[in-house]
Amino acid sequence: MRSICPRCGGASDDGLCLSCILETTEFMICPDQIELVVCPVCGSILERGRWRHPDSDLDELIRNALFREISVHHELEDVELEILLHPRGSTRFVADVHLSGMFRGTAVHAECQVRVRVSRRTCDRCSRIAGRYFEGIVQVRGRERPPEESDLSEAREIAQSLAAAGYQKGDRLAFIQDIKDVRGGIDIIVGSTQLGRHIAKTIAQRFGGRVQESVKLVGCRDGKDLFRTTMLVRLPRLRKGDVIYSKGAVMEVVGFEGRRTAVISLDKGERFYISEEEADAAEIIGDSSKARKSVVISVDESVVEVLDPESYRTVLAIRPAGMKLESGAEVKVLHTERGLFLLY
């Protein structure tokens, strides 16, 4: 025996028949209207009370918002949703939503229409940028002499790159308010202390040196003290390319690792590190960027005879260990206070 459908009186396996179930079931529930809040400056979108940088255009943002707001019956299988957007001005749209799927082995369809409103509101980030907000200052300075412009240019690039990366990762305050040229270096004014510390640490790792941090109370907001942090990056006394005299040997500075300075000896060709104290005590006798091209005249085991590019006379220089030389070869030579040296 089969049951009787209480709605239509037809045959039913249990309760309502399939036809009545299909007629009475809501397979899709849509809101009458949704609202999107978008920043007119940067295009960020406000979702669940938080601003985020969008990864798609406005049409895609609307579709994603509709997908979140539309409810689909839990028994539906092979669900497909098609959304057609029809603009009704610059801030209003009408969305036609079409649903198809399988319900208990039967193909079903449903549709609805949703009004979409796009509101424009300046986000927290853009508001703070416009209001000249900042939490920290990264000061890049040299020791005994101002940093080279090429080093400052690279420091600017590091700061901009880290700010962009931090923003992409979701740090809304990862922005640079300004970069100022000041006497002896630059000041990088940053939106967040976290970004400032990251910039200072990266610059110090790249060029060597040390970071000093100080905090200043600047006011109070909503019962909380407001602080600004200054991070001083003191670049090392030596620079990459300096030719120095230390511990009885002539060396070229080739890099930095923390507070250590990487050098290569110009006689033995050995690469090693000297400490911060040794770097401070070293005598700077030349700059490898001022090296000039010369020609090898003759070579023996310990010395090499080259043509002096200034006097055009033949002079002797120490033959660097491991450097392959032969008569007629072109080499780089540097005049220093301690004589003429071949550079690797």
Side-chain angles (χ1 to χ4, degrees):
M1 296 183 62
R2 302 187 66 186
S3 300
I4 296 176
C5 175
R7 183 171 182 271
C8 69
S12 170
D13 291 332
D14 184 20
L16 291 176
C17 65
L18 179 60
S19 177
C20 288
I21 291 175
L22 293 176
E23 289 180 9
T24 58
T25 299
E26 280 191 291
F27 297 108
M28 176 174 63
I29 300 176
C30 300
D32 293 330
Q33 175 176 305
I34 66 169
E35 181 177 2
L36 270 73
V37 181
V38 179
C39 175
V41 180
C42 69
S44 293
I45 183 170
L46 183 63
E47 290 184 347
R48 299 180 179 89
R50 296 186 63 180
W51 290 96
R52 73 170 182 86
H53 183 68
D55 50 10
S56 54
D57 59 18
L58 182 59
D59 284 4
E60 191 64 26
L61 290 174
I62 293 174
R63 286 185 170 85
N64 290 338
L66 286 167
F67 286 136
R68 290 194 299 269
E69 296 296 328
I70 293 172
S71 298
V72 176
H73 196 284
H74 67 280
E75 289 188 54
L76 274 183
E77 298 177 346
D78 301 327
V79 176
E80 291 186 7
L81 276 178
E82 181 184 12
I83 298 175
L84 301 177
L85 291 178
H86 307 286
R88 296 291 185 266
S90 60
T91 62
R92 296 182 183 275
F93 298 80
V94 172
D96 289 326
V97 184
H98 301 273
L99 173 141
S100 62
M102 298 296 294
F103 179 76
R104 299 182 183 179
T106 301
V108 296
H109 302 274
E111 60 183 34
C112 66
Q113 195 172 76
V114 183
R115 298 188 306 275
V116 181
R117 179 184 176 190
V118 178
S119 299
R120 306 289 182 179
R121 187 194 309 169
T122 305
C123 70
D124 54 350
R125 171 187 171 91
C126 292
S127 296
R128 292 182 178 185
I129 291 175
R132 309 300 296 172
Y133 175 89
F134 66 97
E135 291 182 1
I137 303 175
V138 180
Q139 299 177 329
V140 182
R141 303 288 190 271
R143 293 181 60 192
E144 298 185 8
R145 51 180 175 170
E148 294 284 348
E149 181 54 42
S150 59
D151 294 342
L152 294 178
S153 178
E154 187 172 351
R156 293 185 187 95
E157 292 177 2
I158 289 172
Q160 297 285 6
S161 176
L162 292 177
Y167 180 44
Q168 290 297 326
K169 291 180 180 178
D171 184 358
R172 299 290 301 172
L173 296 181
F175 61 83
I176 295 177
Q177 190 65 260
D178 197 6
I179 300 180
K180 296 181 179 180
D181 293 311
V182 298
R183 185 175 181 180
I186 57 174
D187 284 352
I188 305 170
I189 303 171
V190 295
S192 71
T193 302
Q194 177 182 347
L195 173 63
R197 287 179 176 139
H198 196 187
I199 291 172
K201 180 180 178 181
T202 304
I203 292 175
Q205 289 175 339
R206 167 62 184 85
F207 298 104
R210 60 179 66 182
V211 178
Q212 295 175 306
E213 188 173 305
S214 59
V215 179
K216 181 180 179 181
L217 178 65
V218 294
C220 183
R221 177 184 294 172
D222 300 329
K224 295 182 179 180
D225 291 335
L226 297 179
F227 297 91
R228 284 196 179 131
T229 306
T230 299
M231 290 140 282
L232 172 62
V233 184
R234 185 70 73 180
L235 301 185
R237 171 176 173 263
L238 301 180
R239 298 172 182 155
K240 187 176 181 179
D242 280 345
V243 177
I244 62 174
Y245 181 77
S246 176
K247 301 188 294 185
V250 177
M251 318 165 189
E252 180 183 354
V253 176
V254 294
F256 300 91
E257 185 180 287
R259 295 188 179 183
R260 300 191 303 169
T261 303
V263 297
I264 184 170
S265 62
L266 296 185
D267 54 353
K268 298 180 180 179
E270 296 176 346
R271 181 185 174 112
F272 55 96
Y273 292 94
I274 60 176
S275 66
E276 187 176 26
E277 292 74 18
E278 292 170 329
D280 287 342
E283 177 187 353
I284 302 173
I285 61 175
D287 183 349
S288 64
S289 65
K290 298 179 181 178
R292 300 178 63 181
K293 293 181 180 179
S294 183
V295 176
V296 175
I297 304 300
S298 63
V299 182
D300 67 18
E301 292 183 358
S302 59
V303 296
V304 57
E305 189 178 23
V306 298
L307 185 66
D308 189 332
E310 295 183 1
S311 66
Y312 296 101
R313 296 179 180 178
T314 57
V315 294
L316 294 177
I318 296 175
R319 178 179 180 177
M323 183 182 288
K324 295 181 179 180
L325 296 171
E326 59 183 17
S327 298
E330 191 176 79
V331 292
K332 290 193 302 181
V333 298
L334 178 68
H335 276 280
T336 74
E337 299 171 5
R338 293 183 175 271
L340 186 74
F341 290 90
L342 273 63
L343 301 183
Y344 284 89

